[in-house]
Amino acid sequence: MPDTDLDAPDQPSLTTVHEPTTSTSSPLGGMPLLRPTLPRLAPPLMLLAAFAVAVVLGLTVSSLNPVALLAETAVLYGAAIYTTSAVVEGRRNAVDRLVTVVVTTFFLLALLPLVSVLLEVVRDGYKRFDVTFFTYSMRGVVGEGGGAYAAIMGTLIITALTTVVSVPIGILTAVYLVEYSKGSRLGKVLTFFVDVMTGIPSIVAGLFAVALFVLFLGPGARAGVIGAVALSVLMIPVVVRSTEEMLRLVPNELREASYALGVSRWRTITKVVLRTSVAGIVTGVTLAVARIIGETAPLLVTVGTTTSSNTNPFSGRMATLPVFSYYEYAQPGIPRGPYLDRAWAAALTLIIIVMALNLIARLVSRFFAPKTGR
Amino acid sequence: MSTTSDKPGVVHDAPRYGDRIFAGAATGAGVLILLVLAGVAGFLLWQALPALTASPADVRGGEGLAHYIFPLAFGTILTALIALVIATPLSVGIALFITHYAPRRIAIALGYVVDLLAAVPSIIYGLWGVYVVAPASVPVATWLSTWLGFLPFFGPDPSASGRTTLVVGVVLAIMILPVMTAVNREVFLQTPRLHEEASLALGATRWEMIRQAVLPFGRSGVISGAMLGLGRALGETMAVAIILSVAAGVHWDIIGTANSGTIAADIALQFPESSGLDVNTLVASGLVLFFITLLVNMAARWVIARRSDFSGAN
C-alpha cells in the first residue's frame, strides 16, 4: 500500500510552503506561520542520553537486565521528549511524540521474550545436541546417555499420519466453501464453526480422541493413531482457513475461461483452481504442521510415552518429542542434570523443526506464488 | 445442493460422474467437520456421565464434582484474565506500531516476527517460564507484596520459587499476544483511508488521527481479538502445568506459594496416572472447559461476523 504520506514525520513541513509570504511583517497579527519544531537531531541524541542514564542506573541501583534497561530507557526518553516537545512544539505534538515512544516500546517489549526463549533453548539445549541424542532411544537408560531417537520417530510418524488425515479433509472443505456453497446455509454454518474450532483447547481435543477410542479399544488404551485423531481436530480448521483464503484469491476469469472451453467443474477445480493456488496451500499446510508438531497436551493423554522405539502407530504407547521433553523435565531421576539436559535438547530439536517449517512456508509462498499483474 | 448446475434445460452429453463424486466429497468433508465438532461435545458428555451421576464421595477429593471443578475453573479464569489485562494494551500498541508507525517496507517482516511468538511450542514456554521468568519475578513479587500488600491479590509471603499465578499470567499473555495482534493488525489496516486522510488534512497529529479514525473503527475488532486471546489463554495447558505450583482450593493471592490450578493443566497432570472414575471426572472438567471456550470463541466470532456486515470494509 503506498502510504508515504502517513509516514511523513512532521506536519510543519507543510507550512513551509507559505514561507515567502512571511517576508511581509506578520500577516496574521503577530501569529507566526511557522510552528517551532525540535531540531532533527534532538530526539536521537535524547534517546542516546536516556540509554546511557539507564545503563548507569542498571549498573548502580537496579540490576542490568534487558527488560529493566528497555523500561528505564523508555521512561526516561519519554519524559524528556514530552517535556521538551511540550515547551517547544506545544502539548498536542508532545502527546504525539509520547505515544510514538510508547508504541515502539511495546513492540520491542514483545521481541524480548522471543529472543530470550531462543537464547535459553540454545544455551541449555546444545549440551546434549549430539550424535547419541539422535541415534539412541531411552531403553534401559538411567542417568547420562540415551537419546530421543524413539521420540523423533514417534513425532514424525504421528505428524505424518495427522497430515494424511487432515490435508484432504481440510482442502475439500475449503473447496466446498469457495466453489460449491455459494451462500448456502451449510456454508455459513460451516465457516462459523470452523472458526470456532480453531479455538478448541488442545487438551480437549485429546480428551475427545480418548473418549472416541473407548468405543474401539476400551478404556485406558494408548496408541499413536489416537494422538493423530486428536491432532487432526486441531489441524483441520487451520488447513481449511488458509486454503479457503488462497482459493478466494484465484481470479474468476480463470474459472470462466475453463468453463468456456467445456471443461467440467471438478476438472476446473483440480486443474485450474487448485493448481493456481498450490503454493499458498503448501504454505498453509506447512504452517499447520508447524503448529501441531509441538503439541504436547493431546499426546500426553492419548499416546503416553515409552522408553523404547515403537514405529507402529496402531498399537501401544509411543514416545514423541514434546512429551519426551516434558517427562525428562517432570519426572527426572537423580541427579537431575542429565535429564534436564535431554529435556532442553529435545526442546532445541523441536524449535529448530518449527522454525525451519516456518521458514520453508515463507520461502514457498515467496518463490512459488502465482505472478500477479502484468 | 452441490449439483445446482444440473438445472433442467442444461444438456449434458453424458452424466458427469466425476463432478458428482467430487461435489459429494467436498460436501461430505464439510459435513464431517460439523460432525466432529458435535462429536467432541457428544463423546465428552458420554465419558463424563459416570462422574456426573456418581455419588459425591467417590469423586476425586471426596466432596463431589462441583467441589472439585470449581477451584480449577476459578484458577483457569483468573490466569486467563491476568493474561488478557497484560496482552490487550500490548497487542493494540504492537498492531499500531506495525500498521501506522513502522517503515512500510519492513512492516510485513515485523508482522512475521510477532507471528513467530505463536510458533514456539507451549512446552518450551513452560520450561522458559520456570527457568527464566519465575526467578526474575521474585524481586518484583517481593516489591508488590511490600508496597501493594493491602490488595487481596498480593499476599504477605511471596513465593521464593516464583512459580505463581502471576508468572503464569505473564507467560500466557506472551502466548496469546500473536493472535490478538494479528486480529488488531487486520482491522487497523481496514480503516478507510479517506477517514485517516481527512483527519490528517484537518491538522491532526498522527496520534490524534489514530484516536479519531483508527481506534473507533477498530474497536469491535479489538474486542473480538481480545476474546479470541481469552479463549486461547483459558485452554492453554502445558505452560501452566509446568510453571504453576498448585494447592487445592480457591486462592486470590497471585504471588504466593499456594495457587489455584487450571482445568487444562490439571487434566494434563492427573490423566496419565488416572483410571476408572478419576478419568471420567477429568473428562467432566474438560467438558466444562470446552463449553467455556466454546462460548468465548462463539461470542468473539459473532462480534467479528457482525462487524464485517456493517463496517462496509468488505
Side-chain angles (χ1 to χ4, degrees):
Chain A
M1 226 185 279
D3 197 46
T4 42
D5 50 342
L6 278 186
D7 295 329
D10 339 271
Q11 298 86 15
S13 61
L14 292 172
T15 58
T16 52
V17 178
H18 301 289
E19 203 165 11
T21 61
T22 52
S23 53
T24 60
S25 60
S26 51
L28 289 177
M31 212 170 137
L33 282 170
L34 255 179
R35 243 187 304 158
T37 53
L38 286 179
R40 198 165 267 276
L41 267 179
L45 283 178
M46 281 156 83
L47 181 61
L48 265 180
F51 183 71
V53 174
V55 170
V56 172
L57 264 180
L59 287 173
T60 53
V61 186
S62 62
S63 61
L64 193 67
N65 69 57
V67 182
L69 207 57
L70 177 63
E72 285 164 7
T73 309
V75 169
L76 287 170
Y77 175 64
I81 197 95
Y82 181 81
T83 33
T84 47
S85 176
V87 170
V88 179
E89 298 175 323
R91 205 192 54 83
R92 286 175 52 214
N93 284 291
V95 171
D96 185 48
R97 285 188 187 271
L98 186 65
V99 172
T100 309
V101 174
V102 169
V103 164
T104 314
T105 310
F106 279 6
F107 178 75
L108 294 177
L109 215 53
L111 292 190
L112 278 180
L114 187 64
V115 174
S116 170
V117 165
L118 294 179
L119 279 181
E120 181 70 16
V121 171
V122 171
R123 201 181 63 196
D124 289 339
Y126 88 99
K127 290 179 215 153
R128 273 308 313 279
F129 202 69
D130 49 27
V131 178
T132 318
F133 186 76
F134 291 100
T135 48
Y136 280 73
S137 70
M138 287 301 291
R139 185 171 189 141
V141 173
V142 175
E144 285 184 30
Y149 171 76
I152 292 169
M153 291 310 288
T155 289
L156 292 182
I157 291 170
I158 290 176
T159 307
L161 210 57
T162 308
T163 311
V164 167
V165 174
S166 308
V167 169
I169 296 179
I171 291 181
L172 278 172
T173 306
V175 165
Y176 170 76
L177 286 174
V178 177
E179 304 291 330
Y180 288 103
S181 75
K182 296 284 175 259
S184 75
R185 201 186 180 88
L186 178 63
K188 277 180 189 154
V189 171
L190 196 53
T191 310
F192 182 76
F193 279 107
V194 165
D195 280 338
V196 169
M197 214 169 151
T198 54
I200 287 188
S202 58
I203 188 86
V204 170
L207 288 181
F208 158 68
V210 168
L212 178 68
F213 275 84
V214 169
L215 267 188
F216 307 120
L217 304 173
R222 300 278 193 278
V225 66
I226 310 179
V229 168
L231 293 183
S232 295
V233 174
L234 300 172
M235 184 170 174
I236 289 172
V238 184
V239 175
V240 174
R241 290 298 297 158
S242 61
T243 309
E244 193 189 343
E245 224 160 86
M246 289 305 135
L247 294 184
R248 289 201 193 282
L249 290 180
V250 176
N252 246 339
E253 285 83 350
L254 288 182
R255 296 188 183 92
E256 284 159 8
S258 173
Y259 290 142
L261 291 170
V263 180
S264 67
R265 198 166 187 184
W266 79 279
R267 280 186 170 273
T268 304
I269 291 169
T270 49
K271 300 276 178 186
V272 177
V273 178
L274 288 176
R275 189 64 62 84
T276 311
S277 50
V278 69
I281 294 174
V282 171
T283 302
V285 168
T286 316
L287 288 178
V289 170
R291 192 196 145 182
I292 57 123
I293 204 166
E295 283 292 353
T296 317
L299 297 179
L300 199 64
V301 298
T302 55
V303 186
T305 190
T306 174
T307 53
S308 43
S309 175
N310 170 16
T311 51
N312 179 5
F314 296 97
S315 148
R317 293 161 181 266
M318 289 172 90
T320 52
L321 212 43
V323 179
F324 171 84
S325 179
Y326 172 67
Y327 273 119
E328 290 297 303
Y329 161 79
Q331 299 179 354
I334 297 170
R336 284 193 81 175
Y339 293 86
L340 283 183
D341 288 348
R342 278 196 295 267
W344 282 108
L348 178 59
T349 316
L350 205 54
I351 216 163
I352 289 175
I353 294 175
V354 170
M355 293 297 160
L357 285 171
N358 270 278
L359 193 66
I360 291 170
R362 298 298 173 211
L363 291 179
V364 166
S365 73
R366 168 168 284 198
F367 289 111
F368 298 97
K371 307 283 176 285
T372 49
R374 334 240 125 103
Chain B
M1 69 190 62
S2 49
T3 51
T4 44
S5 61
D6 297 340
K7 287 194 176 95
V10 178
V11 178
H12 285 300
D13 293 339
R16 285 175 159 170
Y17 292 116
D19 260 358
R20 297 220 179 135
I21 293 169
F22 194 75
T27 316
V31 173
L32 180 70
I33 288 183
L34 292 181
L35 286 181
V36 166
L37 198 63
V40 172
F43 278 102
L44 287 184
L45 197 60
W46 174 51
Q47 280 299 299
L49 219 50
L52 296 177
T53 53
S55 80
D58 296 337
V59 175
R60 187 199 293 271
E63 293 180 59
L65 199 60
H67 193 268
Y68 179 71
I69 294 179
F70 177 73
L72 295 174
F74 168 80
T76 308
I77 292 169
L78 182 64
T79 49
L81 284 182
I82 294 173
L84 199 63
V85 167
I86 299 172
T88 306
L90 274 179
S91 70
V92 171
I94 295 166
L96 281 178
F97 179 80
I98 293 175
T99 55
H100 287 84
Y101 284 86
R104 188 82 8 205
R105 216 175 310 155
I106 60 167
I108 295 173
L110 295 182
Y112 286 155
V113 171
V114 175
D115 286 343
L116 273 188
L117 271 177
V120 176
S122 65
I123 171 102
I124 294 178
Y125 274 120
L127 294 173
W128 176 72
V130 164
Y131 287 104
V132 179
V133 185
S137 79
V138 174
V140 179
T142 314
W143 187 89
L144 285 173
S145 169
T146 316
W147 297 103
L148 295 173
F150 56 89
L151 293 172
F153 303 112
F154 307 120
D157 310 306
S159 160
S161 67
R163 300 172 64 169
T164 59
T165 306
L166 179 66
V167 169
V168 169
V170 170
V171 173
L172 287 182
I174 295 166
M175 297 178 75
I176 64 176
L177 206 50
V179 177
M180 296 171 64
T181 307
V183 175
N184 293 348
R185 220 164 64 197
E186 210 167 291
V187 292
F188 291 163
L189 278 178
Q190 284 174 356
T191 314
R193 302 222 16 92
L194 284 177
H195 293 194
E196 297 183 358
E197 281 166 15
S199 175
L200 288 173
L202 289 171
T205 63
R206 196 182 330 194
W207 165 240
E208 286 162 349
M209 178 275 283
I210 287 171
R211 239 183 45 194
Q212 290 163 359
V214 179
L215 291 183
F217 184 83
R219 188 177 299 136
S220 63
V222 172
I223 291 171
S224 60
M227 286 160 95
L228 285 185
L230 181 65
R232 289 282 162 88
L234 289 169
E236 183 44 53
T237 311
M238 293 318 291
V240 185
I242 291 178
I243 296 173
L244 202 58
S245 98
V246 178
V250 170
H251 303 280
W252 283 98
D253 181 4
I254 62 171
I255 55 172
T257 43
N259 302 282
S260 302
T262 75
I263 293 177
D266 179 66
I267 296 171
L269 290 171
Q270 310 294 341
F271 196 93
E273 274 82 41
S274 295
S275 59
L277 192 63
D278 285 350
V279 171
N280 301 123
T281 310
L282 291 175
V283 174
S285 71
L287 192 66
V288 172
L289 176 65
F290 175 65
F291 279 123
I292 296 176
T293 52
L294 198 67
L295 285 180
V296 170
N297 278 306
M298 280 170 68
R301 293 298 172 185
W302 182 72
V303 173
I304 293 179
R306 209 178 62 121
R307 177 179 177 283
S308 64
D309 285 348
F310 292 106
S311 70
N314 298 354

